[in-house]
Amino acid sequence: MIHTMFCVERSEGPKTWVKELCFKTEFMAFSNARTKSLNTFSTYRVMYEGESPNSSGEVLRVSKGKCLVDEDRLVG
């Protein structure tokens, strides 16, 4: 059985992230990150965590309720 999780992390400064919660689906993680970013005006990201380190990585970043494409370019 493959265990994958989508974890929400909060930005604590340049290249510093704090893991807050993990979810079974990307949608639930995105919803949580978006809600938190709207309430706190902080930047959050959703990380995919597979069984092997090579299958893990950043899915998206959210700031002020909008997805970030590049460091500070808001989309959506």
Side-chain angles (χ1 to χ4, degrees):
M1 180 176 184
I2 298 174
H3 293 97
T4 58
M5 297 296 288
F6 294 91
C7 296
V8 175
E9 297 181 352
R10 177 179 26 86
S11 176
E12 285 287 314
K15 300 183 182 183
T16 305
W17 297 90
V18 177
K19 187 182 290 186
E20 292 197 346
L21 292 170
C22 293
F23 299 89
K24 291 183 181 181
T25 66
E26 182 178 355
F27 177 76
M28 290 299 296
F30 167 73
S31 296
N32 182 271
R34 184 173 186 276
T35 300
K36 287 181 176 192
S37 75
L38 285 168
N39 289 328
T40 65
F41 299 109
S42 294
T43 300
Y44 289 83
R45 71 178 180 181
V46 175
M47 296 292 291
Y48 172 79
E49 296 186 0
E51 285 195 12
S52 69
N54 295 336
S55 67
S56 299
E58 184 174 337
V59 176
L60 59 88
R61 288 187 191 192
V62 181
S63 179
K64 299 176 189 166
K66 299 186 183 254
C67 290
L68 294 172
V69 173
D70 292 326
E71 290 289 316
D72 293 319
R73 241 178 61 204
L74 295 177
V75 173

